[in-house]
Amino acid sequence: MAFAKSQSRVAATTLIALSLAAPAALAPLRPAEGQTLSPSSLDIAPLRDLPAVPPIPGAEAAPPYVSQPNVSQQERRAAPEISPGAPNYGLPRVRARLPRPNPPPPPLKPPPLSPAHPLPPLEPYKTSFQAKEKIKRQAKLRMRGFRGSLDLPAERPPPPNVALPAQIPARPKPRIEPNPYAPLGLAIGALRLYPYAEPTYGYDTNPNRVTSDVQGSKFVRVDAGLRLRSEWTRDEIQGNLRLGYVDYASVQNADRPDGAGDVFYRWDVARDTKVKFEGKFTLDTQRPGAPGLVTSVPNVVVVNRPLIVSLGAAAGVTQSFGRLDATLRGVYDRWIYQNAYYNDGSVLNLMSTSYNAYGLNPRLAYELNPSMKPYVEAMIDKRVHDSWLDPYGYARDSAGVSGRIGSTFKITDLVTGEASGGYAQRDYADPRLPRLRGPIIDAAIIYTATPLTTFTLRTGTMLSETTLQGAAGVLSRNVTFDVTHAIFRNFTITATGSYQTNNYQGADTFEQVGTAGVKLEYKLTRSIAIRGSYFWQRLVSSTANSNFTANVIMGGLRFEP
């Protein structure tokens, strides 16, 4: 049975092969309808005329569908290639694995919704690691000379735990100029110069400040000056200089010059060591009725205004020890006097009273807090005159000493200033001259009541020389009070008043001087201003024929580029 099935399967296979090779020859062998095909019913006569089929090489090998455990994969790949069209026998060909074709592009999708105001990107916190790394990258770019934009984006978006939305930069507020009418000055490197000129025209009721024969006069006054300021990151220099001259039209010998100046330079040697240099200059005149110029001869008066010129210089070193500042200054002053000429032809030799002053000024200051810095200082000096004796026969060389305790303070943002008090005395070489001494009080307090109104109070004490017979010197005290109010940003009004006493110690002479006035200033531009003022002055003296009263009114322009 099994053998019959095998023979039938072989016959069927042979028939299929022959039909593929010669379909025309096998056409008659197609069974009729209802006829069964059996090996015995096959007519193989037509197959005899077919050409002989060559033997199949490797027929003894197992068919392809039979597993071959002894054949490796490499041997199968090394098997000879079979030409196309050959019968499918022998070892199977290994199929070449071609790369898969690229996937087709995805279909176009509509763009995502783009809002009109998208959210800003995240930026790292300033104290985060990402922000610090960005700063380091920018620093490296600067070191390499990168000249492009250094605001580079981060390499990757910062994580949410160290990021926040980028801050939208606020529009800067318009800068408000604190003083829109202040002069701009001229820049020379890091220095800024403020030159100015001020011509004035006015009227003075008593040009010579005399008691009798008072005669008023119109006058023309011209002032010129220069201010200097530095704009350095360290060190500092400041300077002020003013020179003026007044010319009276109706009063002879009343014309006079005046001026003042100072310069300050600070050299920062180290953080805690500073060297300071100072210089000062004053120019003034003596009035004909001054106590040192009046003579006992009737109808003999001074016909000129003797000049007084002072030149001063100081140098010091300030060393800081934490909050403690120690300063040591050396001071030198030179005072020069001009001779006085009388109407009778005589001359009062005031040149011999010119003198040099040498002094030493130590000072200690301690900063209790940013608003208060108390200090203690002393002054030791000696005055040496060009002539041992003055015109009246007195030896006026002297030595003086003074000490004071004070403090700078800032009570509030509205009240600031400095105040000090102490004692001073001066001993003269001539035993006939008494000791010049007395308490000294100096203060400057500024109270800013409103942004438009400011009150200023100043007091001062000074010990000065004199040529009055029998008097050792003059102990002068003064108090000044000013009120400044800005009606507009370019229009200010200032009311001022002062009171001064002059005590000629050793002589029965005491003077009281009071002044009051008002000043107006209207600035057309930064460089041009209109000025006007009125002053009243009154002197009352214990010496006969020394009192006077004067009223001065003037107006002019000020040019300051």
Side-chain angles (χ1 to χ4, degrees):
M1 178 70 104
F3 179 77
K5 289 182 179 181
S6 178
Q7 292 292 331
S8 175
R9 185 178 301 170
V10 173
T13 302
T14 304
L15 181 60
I16 293 173
L18 294 176
S19 63
L20 291 174
L26 295 179
L29 295 179
R30 202 175 276 181
E33 185 177 354
Q35 181 182 358
T36 59
L37 184 63
S38 62
S40 57
S41 61
L42 292 176
D43 186 7
I44 59 176
L47 298 177
R48 294 174 182 173
D49 300 331
L50 292 176
V53 179
I56 299 174
E60 66 277 6
Y65 54 84
V66 179
S67 63
Q68 302 177 10
N70 296 331
V71 181
S72 63
Q73 187 72 15
Q74 295 181 356
E75 293 177 352
R76 291 184 178 182
R77 291 181 179 178
E81 291 289 338
I82 301 174
S83 60
N88 188 9
Y89 53 87
L91 293 177
R93 291 181 299 173
V94 179
R95 294 183 179 180
R97 295 185 178 181
L98 300 177
R100 294 183 179 180
N102 294 331
L108 296 178
K109 297 180 180 180
L113 178 63
S114 298
H117 302 284
L119 295 177
L122 296 179
E123 62 180 12
Y125 289 108
K126 295 182 179 180
T127 56
S128 64
F129 175 78
Q130 286 77 5
K132 294 178 180 179
E133 287 297 321
K134 181 179 179 181
I135 295 174
K136 291 180 180 179
R137 292 197 305 271
Q138 294 178 349
K140 290 180 180 179
L141 291 175
R142 290 190 184 97
M143 293 177 62
R144 296 173 182 175
F146 183 75
R147 299 183 180 275
S149 175
L150 297 181
D151 190 11
L152 301 177
E155 295 181 357
R156 62 188 63 181
N161 58 341
V162 296
L164 73 166
Q167 301 297 323
I168 300 176
R171 179 178 299 177
K173 296 182 179 180
R175 182 181 177 183
I176 299 177
E177 182 71 24
N179 192 355
Y181 288 91
L184 299 178
L186 305 176
I188 301 179
L191 299 178
R192 190 162 290 275
L193 305 179
Y194 299 89
Y196 66 89
E198 184 176 352
T200 306
Y201 180 81
Y203 183 83
D204 193 339
T205 60
N206 191 354
N208 276 326
R209 305 297 188 264
V210 294
T211 304
S212 58
D213 299 332
V214 178
Q215 180 183 0
S217 174
K218 300 176 182 179
F219 67 88
V220 175
R221 179 183 178 86
V222 177
D223 290 276
L226 175 67
R227 294 187 296 124
L228 172 66
R229 297 291 183 270
S230 64
E231 299 177 347
W232 303 334
T233 56
R234 55 176 297 176
D235 303 341
E236 181 185 8
I237 185 171
Q238 296 184 9
N240 298 279
L241 177 63
R242 181 191 62 81
L243 293 174
Y245 188 84
V246 62
D247 184 10
Y248 291 92
S250 304
V251 179
Q252 300 295 329
N253 302 323
D255 303 344
R256 59 184 180 270
D258 61 81
D262 61 81
V263 62
F264 170 81
Y265 173 68
R266 188 191 75 244
W267 176 29
D268 298 336
V269 180
R271 186 190 66 176
D272 298 329
T273 306
K274 298 177 176 60
V275 179
K276 300 178 181 179
F277 301 93
E278 301 176 31
K280 60 181 180 179
F281 156 80
T282 59
L283 173 62
D284 203 353
T285 59
Q286 300 186 64
R287 60 186 178 87
L293 302 180
V294 177
T295 64
S296 59
V297 181
N299 299 325
V300 177
V301 295
V302 177
V303 295
N304 69 327
R305 304 283 301 249
L307 297 176
I308 302 176
V309 179
S310 68
L311 302 172
V317 179
T318 300
Q319 180 65 40
S320 299
F321 304 93
R323 294 187 176 185
L324 179 65
D325 293 341
T327 304
L328 182 63
R329 296 171 66 244
V331 182
Y332 169 76
D333 291 322
R334 172 66 179 173
W335 289 79
I336 303 173
Y337 297 89
Q338 185 187 17
N339 293 336
Y341 300 92
Y342 294 94
N343 55 0
D344 63 350
S346 59
V347 178
L348 179 61
N349 185 14
L350 297 178
M351 290 289 293
S352 61
T353 61
S354 301
Y355 67 90
N356 299 315
Y358 311 89
L360 193 65
N361 178 212
R363 173 186 173 119
L364 291 175
Y366 184 79
E367 184 180 3
L368 292 178
N369 52 62
S371 301
M372 182 170 292
K373 190 174 185 179
Y375 62 87
V376 56
E377 68 174 353
M379 182 68 181
I380 304 172
D381 70 312
K382 185 176 182 178
R383 296 177 181 177
V384 180
H385 291 73
D386 294 350
S387 177
W388 174 252
L389 300 177
D390 69 356
Y392 301 103
Y394 289 92
R396 292 194 173 273
D397 290 352
S398 62
V401 61
S402 64
R404 71 178 67 204
I405 298 176
S407 175
T408 60
F409 57 85
K410 181 180 179 181
I411 300 176
T412 65
D413 292 339
L414 306 180
V415 181
T416 60
E418 178 180 354
S420 65
Y423 190 83
Q425 68 177 27
R426 180 167 295 280
D427 298 323
Y428 291 87
D430 197 319
R432 295 175 295 174
L433 298 176
R435 175 180 291 176
L436 179 63
R437 59 185 179 179
I440 53 177
I441 300 174
D442 295 328
I445 302 174
I446 301 175
Y447 171 51
T448 307
T450 67
L452 303 178
T453 307
T454 303
F455 297 89
T456 304
L457 175 65
R458 291 185 176 90
T459 63
T461 306
M462 183 174 59
L463 280 66
S464 56
E465 297 288 315
T466 183
T467 57
L468 181 63
Q469 298 184 37
V474 184
L475 178 63
S476 301
R477 307 178 190 276
N478 66 81
V479 179
T480 304
F481 183 73
D482 297 335
V483 180
T484 302
H485 179 72
I487 300 178
F488 302 106
R489 305 187 83 180
N490 60 333
F491 183 37
T492 58
I493 179 172
T494 302
T496 179
S498 66
Y499 176 76
Q500 180 177 341
T501 61
N502 299 323
N503 184 10
Y504 292 80
Q505 295 186 2
D508 296 333
T509 302
F510 185 80
E511 296 179 342
Q512 303 178 55
V513 183
T515 60
V518 60
K519 296 185 293 185
L520 303 175
E521 183 179 28
Y522 182 81
K523 295 184 178 180
L524 300 176
T525 64
R526 288 182 180 269
S527 303
I528 303 176
I530 301 176
R531 287 188 169 187
S533 61
Y534 167 77
F535 287 97
W536 169 86
Q537 188 175 21
R538 172 69 177 170
L539 182 141
V540 178
S541 175
S542 60
T543 303
N545 299 324
S546 295
N547 301 341
F548 71 84
T549 302
N551 295 273
V552 181
I553 183 171
M554 56 185 177
L557 295 175
R558 181 184 177 94
F559 302 94
E560 187 172 5

